[in-house]
């Protein structure tokens, strides 16, 4: 089942690539690439058909077929079909080649869309001799490079050749407990069901199968982590306490709890793999600082990985400030430094000599040429989740450092536990005291003047404002033009009393940094920006966030943007300018007005968009389930997780005969030849 699809005859390099783009690399993948819908191909009586229904009707061709050509290379094939007592006008578009098969007197069946008023059908498929072979036909999601029909043929071929080696993955006792089909029948009935009922039964098993495979991998990672001799980071408690009490604020209760959870993990000789979840502004960065400081007091180095240069710079700056009086050396390594050979060389040398305690940077800093003397902790900010291979690479750096992954993506907790199952989860569910809730309002575009007056009153009070320009399309050029227009308009409006700055994605990172720095230092009162401001930039004096054409943004993005204000002690405002045309757009605006709770928003986002969109997106690092829906089928997901954990964490896991298939599967997909104990 783990054979490459190219083992099937007829799959060359081109098809292989096209399949890979659909996530199909092995026979297992192909056989689990299920139809996304099914067509009812059972022959129907004309009298049963509703207007617009797609169905198969059968009859005798009553008139000679006529082909009409039109446009450039377009054609239409017409004939009349006598179906029972009804004469139906049939039209096929672009399939003139069917003409020979529909000569008067031929027995045919046509699958198509029925039009009651005209007593006609637009044909989609033609069958000779008694209609379709299958009453239910699966339809596969295809791509430009590979057609649904081709996928269907490949699935058929793969099933024919491999049906005898389909092995059970879900152990028998679990299958019995949840009344699941055996795997061969499940795969068969998903692709080639004879009745609707058949695929509905198979579907239950297939959803469980998909979740179980995923949860089993996570459970295995967890087991490996558990058995892995991790680092014992014997931090200096009194130094840590001194550091915490020197912070300019007191930690919230949630922060204290999380610090304890992390410290407890680090102090154990086990490998830490912990996810730190907290809404924007909940104070994750300082937690990272505390954890890294703990590692440093134990004689280790730490690394902080950020998704963008601007964020890495901000973190580096913040950490340098925090550690100023604590003798911790912080260094920044991003593409900018790495491009200067001498600078890079110098950094790497100091790192290897342990003259650098904390290295902050982008992804590059855990890559090849970067060698730490004694790396104890890796903190990742925003959605870096180490995949299996990266985890292996980290481990093989000889250190197996502890990992703390921070995310502001507020996934509902239950969902986080099941989908980030190999990690332990810590949640900061409380904002620092004294934060005034951000007041959000939704205005129409024609209320722009009133909005700008409002902004002006805030500026008069010495506050600053962000104005996010419309995101028209994925094109940076167009976004830039919009940002520039907004910038000019505002400059005109506020000159000479207030200064306006412009920040956009086309700028070089040092330019961006310069503008951000100037804004932070109050050289600008207003910052017009494309969404680059979204990432965790911290300017506590900014109290207004105006988002133009807000309905073009997703809920998660709006929430992130809004999180840029409300970071100081002054009351803050978020103004959404939008005239949404759809209910979905209106509902999004309404949600933003009603709540500032990231968890509520993400729940709403899930409901409105579906988990495929919200969780499947690569950036969240969550898997793309194909048929299981982690929200709608949450109970199944949970059951699959509990079963997978119980089975794999069991100490006799390897010795139970019924687990043989599962073990072989895990060996193949997780770690070639790994020992489980
Ligand atoms: P996050 O990364 O979770 O979005 P940050 O760590 O950037 O949040 O914190 C947001 C702001 O709140 C920062 O200015 C930080 O200094 C401040 N902050 C963090 N913890 C506290 C606290 N317990 N009390 C007051 N302010 C805090
Ligand atoms: Mg942050």
């Amino acid at each position: 089942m783990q054979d490459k699809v190219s083992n099937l005859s007829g799959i060359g390099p081109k098809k292989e690539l096209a399949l890979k783009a659909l996530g199909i690399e092995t026979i297992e993948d192909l056989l689990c690439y299920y139809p996304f819908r099914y067509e009812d191909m059972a022959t129907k009586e004309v009298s049963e058909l509703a207007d617009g229904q797609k169905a198969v009707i059968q009859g005798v061709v009553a008139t000679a077929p006529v082909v009409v050509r039109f446009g450039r290379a377009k054609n239409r094939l017409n004939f009349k079909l006598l179906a029972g007592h009804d004469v139906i006008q049939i039209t096929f578009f672009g399939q003139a080649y069917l003409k020979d098969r529909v000569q008067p007197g031929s027995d045919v069946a046509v699958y198509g869309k029925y039009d009651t008023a005209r007593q006609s059908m637009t044909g989609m498929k033609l069958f000779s001799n008694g209609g379709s072979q299958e009453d239910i036909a699966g339809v596969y999601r295809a791509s430009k490079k590979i057609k649904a029909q081709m996928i269907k043929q490949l699935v058929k071929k793969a099933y024919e050749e491999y049906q005898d080696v389909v092995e059970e993955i879900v152990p028998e006792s679990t299958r019995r407990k949840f009344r699941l089909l055996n795997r061969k029948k499940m795969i068969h009935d998903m692709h080639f069901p004879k009745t609707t009922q058949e695929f509905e039964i198979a579907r239950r098993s297939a959803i469980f199968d998909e979740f179980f495979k995923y949860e089993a991998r996570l459970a295995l990672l967890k087991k490996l982590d558990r058995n892995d001799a991790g680092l014992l980071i014997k931090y200096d408690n009194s130094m840590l306490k001194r550091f915490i009490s020197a912070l300019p604020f007191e930690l919230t209760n949630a922060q204290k709890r999380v610090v304890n959870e992390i410290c407890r993990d680090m102090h154990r000789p086990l490998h830490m793999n912990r996810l730190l979840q907290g809404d924007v502004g909940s104070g994750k960065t300082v937690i990272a600082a505390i954890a890294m400081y703990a590692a440093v007091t134990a004689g280790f180095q730490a690394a902080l990985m950020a998704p963008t240069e601007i964020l890495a710079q901000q973190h580096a700056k913040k950490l340098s400030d925090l550690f100023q009086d604590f003798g911790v050396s912080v260094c920044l390594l991003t593409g900018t430094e790495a491009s200067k050979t001498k600078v890079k060389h110098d950094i790497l040398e100091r790192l290897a000599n342990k003259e650098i305690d904390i290295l902050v940077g982008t992804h590059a800093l855990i890559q090849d040429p970067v060698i730490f003397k004694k790396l104890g902790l890796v903190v990742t900010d925003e959605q870096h989740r180490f995949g299996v291979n990266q985890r292996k690479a980290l481990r093989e750096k000889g250190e197996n450092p502890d990992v703390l992954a921070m995310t502001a993506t507020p996934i509902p907790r239950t969902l986080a536990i099941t989908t980030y199952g190999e990690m332990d989860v810590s949640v900061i569910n409380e904002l620092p005291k004294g934060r005034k809730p951000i007041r959000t309002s939704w205005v129409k575009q024609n209320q722009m003047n009133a909005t700008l007056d409002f902004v002006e009153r805030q500026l008069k009070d010495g506050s600053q404002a962000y104005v996010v320009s419309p995101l028209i399309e994925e094109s940076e050029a167009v976004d830039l033009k919009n940002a520039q227009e907004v910038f000019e308009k505002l400059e005109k409006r506020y000159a000479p009393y207030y200064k306006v700055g412009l920040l956009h994605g086309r700028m070089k990172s040092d330019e961006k940094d310069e503008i951000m720095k100037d804004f932070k230092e109050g050289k600008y009162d207003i910052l017009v920006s494309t969404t680059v401001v979204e990432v965790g930039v911290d300017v506590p004096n900014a109290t207004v966030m105006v988002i133009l054409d807000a309905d073009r943004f997703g809920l998660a993005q709006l929430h992130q943007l809004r999180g840029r204000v409300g970071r100081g002690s002054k009351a803050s405002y978020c103004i959404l300018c939008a005239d949404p045309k759809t209910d979905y757009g209106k509902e999004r605006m309404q949600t933003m007005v009603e709540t500032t709770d990231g968890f509520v928003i993400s729940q709403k986002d899930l409901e409105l968009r579906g988990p495929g969109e919200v969780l499947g997106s690569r950036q969240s690092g969550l898997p793309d389930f194909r048929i299981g829906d982690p929200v709608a089928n949450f109970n199944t997901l949970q059951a699959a997780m509990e079963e997978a954990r119980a089975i794999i964490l069991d100490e006799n896991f390897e010795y139970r005969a019924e687990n043989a298939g599962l073990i072989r599967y895990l060996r193949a997909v997780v770690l070639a030849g790994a020992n489980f104990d």
Side-chain angles (χ1 to χ4, degrees):
M1 289 290 274
Q2 298 303 326
D3 282 358
K4 295 268 172 257
V5 275
S6 52
N7 273 28
L8 293 174
S9 60
I11 299 193
K14 257 195 188 151
K15 265 187 207 140
E16 197 177 352
L17 268 180
L19 287 169
K20 192 173 173 189
L22 293 173
I24 304 172
E25 295 185 60
T26 61
I27 299 292
E28 164 89 27
D29 296 337
L30 180 59
L31 289 178
C32 291
Y33 194 83
Y34 303 122
F36 74 99
R37 67 184 172 83
Y38 298 86
E39 282 170 350
D40 183 355
M41 297 300 236
T43 302
K44 296 271 176 4
E45 296 291 328
V46 172
S47 57
E48 310 175 56
L49 299 184
D51 188 39
Q53 188 180 342
K54 287 180 189 164
V56 175
I57 57 171
Q58 205 171 344
V60 180
V61 177
T63 61
V66 178
V67 172
V68 181
R69 301 195 181 269
F70 61 100
R72 230 196 318 144
K74 288 184 183 157
N75 63 66
R76 186 167 66 215
L77 169 71
N78 290 319
F79 63 91
K80 287 195 164 65
L81 183 77
L82 179 63
H85 299 292
D86 299 291
V87 176
I88 311 295
Q89 171 74 40
I90 309 278
T91 306
F92 277 94
F93 289 93
Q95 298 185 57
Y97 54 84
L98 294 175
K99 189 173 170 189
D100 291 344
R101 290 170 56 195
V102 290
Q103 292 304 315
S106 330
D107 252 320
V108 296
V110 176
Y111 176 71
K113 191 171 171 182
Y114 187 63
D115 180 329
T116 321
R118 294 207 171 92
Q119 287 234 332
S120 68
M121 179 175 267
T122 309
M124 289 150 74
K125 268 183 204 145
L126 179 75
F127 304 99
S128 310
N129 311 325
S132 166
Q133 294 295 312
E134 36 180 19
D135 281 350
I136 310 245
V139 182
Y140 295 86
R141 217 172 277 289
S143 69
K144 273 201 188 109
K145 298 255 168 66
I146 193 154
K147 295 234 157 55
Q149 200 52 33
M150 171 58 71
I151 294 174
K152 189 167 186 150
Q153 282 170 21
L154 292 174
V155 168
K156 231 179 196 138
K157 196 183 277 179
Y159 186 77
E160 276 160 16
E161 286 181 28
Y162 285 84
Q163 56 175 311
D164 294 330
V165 297
V166 173
E167 216 175 3
E168 297 305 334
I169 291 178
V170 179
E172 195 187 339
S173 52
T174 303
R175 259 185 298 129
R176 223 178 305 129
K177 186 161 149 194
F178 293 93
R179 276 178 274 131
L180 305 170
L181 299 180
N182 72 53
R183 205 148 194 269
K184 183 173 161 186
K185 178 152 177 59
M186 168 190 93
I187 289 174
H188 176 273
D189 289 358
M190 284 301 289
H191 293 289
F192 323 110
K194 288 199 193 59
T195 62
T196 324
Q197 216 183 1
E198 244 181 28
F199 81 70
E200 273 161 8
I201 291 172
R203 199 178 153 75
R204 241 190 99 241
S205 299
I207 291 173
F208 192 96
D209 182 76
E210 181 174 39
F211 286 154
F212 183 82
K213 282 192 287 185
Y214 176 72
E215 294 294 346
R217 290 163 74 160
L218 295 186
L220 177 62
L221 286 177
K222 206 175 177 108
K223 182 171 180 140
L224 293 173
D225 264 353
R226 216 179 252 191
N227 295 339
D228 235 17
L231 292 174
L232 189 157
I233 299 184
K234 240 182 159 166
Y235 59 87
D236 184 323
N237 206 16
S238 62
M239 281 171 87
L240 200 60
K241 278 196 172 135
R242 213 172 321 129
F243 177 67
I244 291 173
S245 56
L247 290 172
F249 43 73
E250 188 180 345
L251 294 182
T252 62
N253 287 330
Q255 284 172 317
K256 286 181 191 159
R257 174 170 42 75
V258 165
V259 166
N260 282 334
E261 287 167 355
I262 293 167
C263 286
R264 202 179 49 217
D265 272 5
M266 294 208 299
H267 207 272
R268 284 182 185 154
L270 297 175
H271 182 247
M272 171 168 85
N273 188 21
R274 190 168 276 280
L275 179 73
L276 174 58
Q277 246 193 341
D279 213 340
V280 275
S282 61
K284 293 183 295 295
T285 313
V286 69
I287 302 295
I290 293 169
M292 289 193 288
Y293 185 64
V296 171
T297 66
F300 287 94
Q301 291 169 301
L304 173 60
M305 226 162 79
T308 62
E309 286 209 8
I310 199 168
L311 259 185
Q313 286 159 358
Q314 182 177 295
H315 279 316
K317 168 94 179 36
K318 215 169 191 169
L319 292 175
S320 300
D321 292 348
L322 279 171
F323 291 130
Q324 206 169 32
D325 303 327
F326 289 84
V328 175
S329 72
V330 178
C331 183
L332 179 68
L333 177 63
T334 66
T336 310
E337 287 78 28
S339 67
K340 296 171 193 149
T341 320
K342 198 168 163 292
V343 176
K344 185 180 171 188
H345 185 79
D346 177 57
I347 291 177
L348 293 185
E349 195 173 292
R350 285 195 292 140
L351 194 64
N353 292 337
K354 213 163 161 287
E355 287 161 40
I356 293 171
D357 298 311
I358 294 177
L359 187 64
V360 181
T362 45
H363 208 80
L365 63 77
I366 58 148
Q367 279 162 2
D368 241 2
V370 182
I371 296 164
F372 292 82
K373 179 93 188 279
K374 206 176 172 208
L375 180 62
L377 174 68
V378 176
V379 181
T380 67
D381 188 17
E382 284 314 328
Q383 294 140 356
H384 282 290
R385 202 173 160 224
F386 292 112
V388 177
N389 292 335
Q390 285 166 312
R391 293 268 294 281
K392 256 177 104 183
L394 265 181
R395 216 183 296 253
E396 280 156 13
K397 278 199 162 200
E399 308 270 0
N400 199 20
D402 283 349
V403 173
L404 179 66
M406 306 193 288
T407 177
T409 311
I411 308 151
R413 183 176 166 84
T414 40
L415 203 51
I417 291 169
T418 36
T419 40
Y420 284 115
E422 93 282 23
M423 302 179 111
D424 295 306
V425 181
S426 288
V427 181
I428 308 182
N429 52 357
E430 178 186 1
L431 291 181
K433 275 193 232 44
R435 290 273 169 83
K436 302 246 167 55
I438 303 164
R439 253 182 275 163
T440 303
S441 47
W442 165 25
V443 303
K444 298 278 153 67
Q445 307 273 21
N446 63 17
Q447 292 168 281
M448 203 54 211
N449 268 329
T451 303
L452 294 181
D453 288 344
F454 176 81
V455 170
E456 188 168 355
R457 286 199 292 279
Q458 295 295 309
L459 300 181
K460 237 180 224 157
D461 279 351
S463 299
Q464 289 165 285
Y466 292 104
V467 177
V468 174
S469 63
L471 171 92
I472 299 298
E473 46 192 320
E474 298 279 302
S475 145
E476 271 188 15
V478 180
D479 290 344
L480 173 57
K481 188 167 154 278
N482 280 300
Q484 235 140 16
E485 267 168 29
V486 173
F487 168 71
E488 280 159 25
K489 202 168 135 196
L490 293 188
E491 245 195 344
K492 227 189 213 156
R493 168 80 165 64
Y494 292 116
Y497 306 104
Y498 301 107
K499 284 208 69 181
V500 186
L502 175 63
L503 185 71
H504 58 77
R506 281 277 176 93
M507 291 174 160
K508 293 211 186 71
S509 86
D510 49 349
E511 284 177 287
K512 280 188 218 166
D513 198 35
E514 193 66 31
I515 302 268
M516 263 333 289
K517 209 171 107 225
D518 288 349
F519 183 57
K520 205 166 175 163
E521 287 168 1
K523 289 191 190 147
Y524 298 115
D525 303 288
I526 299 181
L527 186 65
V528 174
S529 166
T530 55
T531 45
V532 290
V533 76
E534 188 186 339
V535 289
V537 184
D538 198 16
V539 182
N541 190 45
T543 61
V544 191
M545 168 63 69
V546 179
I547 305 173
L548 302 176
D549 277 355
D551 55 324
R552 293 187 189 268
F553 296 94
L555 272 177
Q557 216 173 5
L558 289 172
H559 182 63
Q560 289 286 330
L561 284 170
R562 180 167 61 183
R564 294 308 107 215
V565 296
R567 301 175 83 81
S569 52
K570 290 197 238 178
S572 293
Y573 305 89
C574 175
I575 303 170
L576 309 167
C577 304
D579 301 323
K581 306 245 163 7
T582 63
D583 286 346
Y584 168 45
K586 286 174 194 155
E587 196 156 348
R588 265 175 9 243
M589 297 304 107
Q590 208 53 49
T591 303
M592 288 300 293
V593 170
E594 281 163 15
T595 182
T596 51
D597 183 331
F599 286 88
V600 174
I601 288 173
S602 79
Q603 187 63 46
K604 194 78 197 172
D605 208 16
L606 281 174
E607 285 164 22
L608 290 174
R609 285 200 296 162
E613 291 281 318
V614 182
L615 303 180
S617 59
R618 214 142 285 130
Q619 57 157 356
S620 71
L622 290 177
D624 248 323
F625 291 112
R626 287 199 182 131
I627 56 164
D629 174 332
V631 175
N633 312 122
F634 182 72
N635 291 337
T636 309
L637 178 61
Q638 184 135 27
M641 177 190 78
E642 282 162 10
E643 287 294 308
R645 284 198 180 173
I647 290 165
I648 287 170
L649 298 181
D650 182 74
E651 51 186 33
N652 291 321
F653 169 57
E654 280 185 276
Y655 307 111
R656 286 188 210 284
E658 65 166 3
N659 294 340
L662 174 60
I663 289 170
R664 258 192 292 277
Y665 168 76
L666 289 172
R667 281 229 164 91
V669 297
V670 178
L671 296 163
N675 257 331
F676 293 135
D677 54 6

